[in-house]
Amino acid sequence: MLDSEVVEHVSRLARLTLSDEEKDKMRVELSKTLEHFRALSELDTSAIPPTAQVIPIENNMREDAVGDCLPKDDVLANAPRTRGDYIRVPAVLKAF
Amino acid sequence: MLDRIHSIDARVRAYITLTPDLAMRQAAEADERLRHPDAPRLCGVPLALKDVLSTRNVKTTCGSKILGNFVPPFDATVVSMLRDAGAVTVGKTNMDEFAMGSSTENSGFFPTFNPWDLDRVPGGSSGGSAAAVAADECIAALGSDTGGSVRQPAALCGVVGMRPTYGRVSRYGLVAFASSLDQIGPITKDVTDCAILMQAISGHDALDSTSLQADVPDYESSLHADVAGLKVGLPREYMAAGVDEGVRGVVLKAIDRLTEAGMEIVDISLPHTEYALATYYVIAPAEASANLARYNGVKYGYFDPDSDGVEELMMNSRGTGFGAEVKRRIMLGTFALSSGYYDAYYLRAQKVRTLIKRDFDQAFESVDLIVTPTSPTVAFPVGEKVDDPISMYLSDVMTLPGPIAGIPGISVPCGFSQGLPVGLQFMAPPLGETVLLRAAHAYEQLAGVESATARKAV
């Protein structure tokens, strides 16, 4: 069973607020799921290269040319809070 | 079509958003274009789009409260392609939140019900699209398939669903779940419609850096090529324990039919099949945890107005905006990628991915196609698996290995068990869509398209 500290740490890494009830549930469910994954360690993969993607395309480059962009107003229309042409967020640095 | 939707969608609940005004405008334009003899193939055909596909000026929620008010400023490439081909789009269909699920019960808004039995799930995550096609609430639809999300609901709703080769169809404008696995595919009433839709959405797109440069064949004319002599592999691992007896019987009977068409059935083995589920459920959540980092209450989507400081804003917006299954997978993926666990989970899963891909490469040295059930069971009752993640994950056990290897697959209806539809899945090597369509079409011709609409609940 996962420690509650691990659940706490991972939720922090994921920037995901969980209620205490959710954390308890997560601990049980993640432990069960990881148990299932133990099957993967039965295989000897020491000589097997990893596959990250399955197509024969690498470094798909294009001309470094300016093209059309989405209209600024349309893009900003989805932002919860804006000021002028900027997206507004709460203070990033806290005052000391 | 709109009348049909209004008369039954209160019971099926296939759509999140309907766009009747847009549809009527597009229909009027289509009428105009149809006066000319060179009108495009899909001119005036009413289609539905899974709500994972971005539509300009039309709300795109991805089944999530976190995108509950999101209105994309652009169209997905496939949406533009369908519009160029004259299609009329009637609405956006329901889905499991961020395409994570196998029953559409994980939608952030409401579940969709199976048109064959309204007490059962339509499958998922493209359950809204499959239910809409089955209930005649559109002529055809697009879905997306990361681990089976087109083929499994197609099977459970008694319609045709195809997952193309990774890279065949542009993913630009598809809300990302697991980028090395996601593909867009058609859900249709028969194999011919599937070929027509594939024609409309396939091809290279400079806006998707994983899009293949390969030429697009004439899918519709490939339907009629001879299937005699095709070698079809039946992997013994897919008929093992876990397949419902009724489903097994129907599928074996369907496979007999293939020999009537002159196909040769060969027993094969894909030895790493049993590891596909764990491989998928490490890789897909890992990629999802990265892709879903963008939902943080800043640029778009739900934000928590009471947070103090930007980090709290991000954490709380995500904590409130995401549903239970999405949180579960973000946690799982973040864990698998985290320092100390990366090698044991993520890297190992990527290595097993190589082994699974090699299984298919080797099999396709001796067979043209592989045939399996699409899903181990028929549609299950609403609520049955919702509190048991592993049992829900197992309903995709037949459809997960293909995406891991990047190969295409199709599900065609092949009969009934307990009065509910069963799907037959074909898989082919990369870019083998033509042979998939050919075999599926041959089977469909032999079996006869079920004229079973009247037997449906709606």
Side-chain angles (χ1 to χ4, degrees):
Chain A
M1 184 75 100
L2 286 177
D3 289 342
S4 47
E5 289 80 50
V6 175
V7 173
E8 187 70 47
H9 172 64
V10 174
S11 74
R12 183 89 196 144
L13 288 177
R15 299 290 185 273
L16 187 62
T17 301
L18 297 176
S19 67
D20 290 342
E21 195 189 325
E22 283 179 315
K23 280 179 202 161
D24 284 345
K25 210 173 160 197
M26 209 62 91
R27 214 174 132 223
V28 177
E29 287 172 350
L30 287 184
S31 302
K32 250 195 250 171
T33 308
L34 293 173
E35 190 64 35
H36 221 82
F37 294 171
R38 195 157 292 171
L40 294 179
S41 54
E42 293 167 6
L43 293 166
D44 178 10
T45 54
S46 52
I48 309 296
T51 297
Q53 54 99 4
V54 288
I55 45 169
I57 299 177
E58 275 178 39
N59 298 336
N60 192 358
M61 310 297 262
R62 62 164 174 80
E63 284 299 302
D64 185 14
V66 178
D68 290 337
C69 293
L70 294 170
K72 199 160 43 183
D73 290 346
D74 291 0
V75 174
L76 285 170
N78 278 298
R81 290 188 284 200
T82 55
R83 184 186 291 164
D85 283 349
Y86 294 93
I87 290 169
R88 197 157 67 85
V89 293
V92 175
L93 298 171
K94 285 197 178 123
F96 291 99
Chain B
M1 192 56 73
L2 292 171
D3 288 346
R4 169 79 182 157
I5 294 170
H6 287 305
S7 72
I8 63 162
D9 202 51
R11 287 187 287 155
V12 177
R13 308 219 68 184
Y15 288 95
I16 292 177
T17 304
L18 285 168
T19 52
D21 296 343
L22 175 67
M24 292 310 283
R25 265 202 319 276
Q26 290 171 335
E29 283 166 28
D31 282 342
E32 205 52 49
R33 287 169 88 175
L34 280 167
R35 286 169 211 265
H36 302 284
D38 57 349
R41 197 73 175 89
L42 286 172
C43 206
V45 178
L47 302 180
L49 303 168
K50 185 179 182 182
D51 211 18
V52 70
L53 297 167
S54 298
T55 41
R56 199 166 92 84
N57 297 334
V58 175
K59 194 173 70 165
T60 299
T61 70
C62 215
S64 182
K65 290 208 166 99
I66 212 163
L67 283 177
N69 296 313
F70 179 62
V71 180
F74 61 94
D75 275 327
T77 296
V78 290
V79 174
S80 315
M81 289 172 103
L82 289 180
R83 290 195 176 142
D84 290 346
V88 172
T89 49
V90 293
K92 308 291 295 286
T93 56
N94 198 18
M95 56 185 283
D96 289 297
E97 182 176 6
F98 285 103
M100 297 175 185
S102 313
S103 69
T104 315
E105 290 165 291
N106 293 338
S107 165
F109 305 108
F110 48 81
T112 296
F113 302 101
N114 194 309
W116 293 89
D117 178 347
L118 295 170
D119 294 325
R120 290 177 186 262
V121 303
S125 67
S126 310
S129 283
V133 174
D136 213 17
E137 294 185 68
C138 61
I139 296 299
L142 291 185
S144 65
D145 188 312
T146 305
S149 284
V150 161
R151 292 160 291 153
Q152 184 259 19
L156 270 46
C157 289
V159 292
V160 174
M162 179 177 238
R163 175 196 165 88
T165 306
Y166 183 81
R168 172 78 292 180
V169 174
S170 168
R171 293 183 296 115
Y172 178 74
L174 170 74
V175 179
F177 162 12
S179 302
S180 80
L181 300 162
D182 295 342
Q183 257 297 279
I184 295 165
I187 297 178
T188 57
K189 291 174 194 290
D190 64 24
V191 178
T192 305
D193 284 359
C194 182
I196 294 170
L197 246 69
M198 278 299 295
Q199 205 74 49
I201 63 173
S202 297
H204 179 255
D205 178 15
L207 296 173
D208 173 0
S209 64
T210 58
S211 172
L212 294 170
Q213 294 274 3
D215 289 339
V216 179
D218 185 339
Y219 291 123
E220 214 181 327
S221 69
S222 76
L223 292 176
H224 305 288
D226 197 7
V227 293
L230 279 182
K231 278 192 168 169
V232 184
L234 177 58
R236 66 179 75 101
E237 292 81 3
Y238 284 70
M239 286 306 212
V243 183
D244 175 89
E245 276 310 311
V247 169
R248 185 199 308 267
V250 170
V251 166
L252 287 175
K253 219 151 91 192
I255 291 172
D256 278 345
R257 275 272 163 85
L258 301 179
T259 57
E260 284 172 39
M263 296 185 228
E264 184 190 339
I265 309 298
V266 188
D267 283 319
I268 61 167
S269 172
L270 298 166
H272 295 95
T273 301
E274 64 174 299
Y275 301 102
L277 186 81
T279 302
Y280 178 87
Y281 277 99
V282 173
I283 291 174
E287 293 185 15
S289 73
N291 273 326
L292 271 59
R294 71 193 68 177
Y295 306 104
N296 57 12
V298 174
K299 283 185 287 192
Y300 37 65
Y302 174 81
F303 84 112
D304 179 71
D306 304 318
S307 293
D308 182 25
V310 75
E311 187 166 343
E312 198 180 302
L313 167 81
M314 294 180 178
M315 292 194 65
N316 291 346
S317 299
R318 292 161 64 75
T320 309
F322 289 134
E325 181 62 23
V326 174
K327 288 182 190 175
R328 200 179 280 140
R329 296 211 198 175
I330 289 175
M331 289 290 288
L332 193 56
T334 305
F335 174 83
L337 290 172
S338 67
S339 172
Y341 300 102
Y342 181 93
D343 286 3
Y345 290 97
Y346 186 61
L347 188 62
R348 185 169 284 269
Q350 286 192 318
K351 289 178 172 184
V352 180
R353 185 175 193 176
T354 305
L355 294 173
I356 292 167
K357 188 170 181 299
R358 283 183 190 168
D359 279 358
F360 282 108
D361 291 346
Q362 268 156 26
F364 287 127
E365 281 172 18
S366 57
V367 297
D368 302 297
L369 287 164
I370 291 171
V371 68
T372 74
T374 307
S375 170
T377 67
V378 291
F380 42 92
V382 172
E384 187 182 89
K385 299 185 180 182
V386 83
D387 291 321
D388 183 359
I390 297 281
S391 106
M392 186 71 90
Y393 298 169
L394 279 167
S395 51
D396 288 332
V397 70
M398 311 277 170
T399 49
L400 294 172
I404 290 172
I407 61 171
I410 191 169
S411 178
V412 276
C414 70
F416 294 84
S417 169
Q418 306 166 50
L420 294 160
V422 175
L424 184 70
Q425 173 176 238
F426 292 100
M427 293 183 272
L431 296 176
E433 282 82 2
T434 48
V435 69
L436 280 182
L437 289 164
R438 228 164 103 193
H441 185 254
Y443 173 76
E444 185 183 73
Q445 295 305 302
L446 271 173
V449 180
E450 278 283 339
S451 58
T453 316
R455 288 166 51 192
K456 289 182 207 170
V458 291

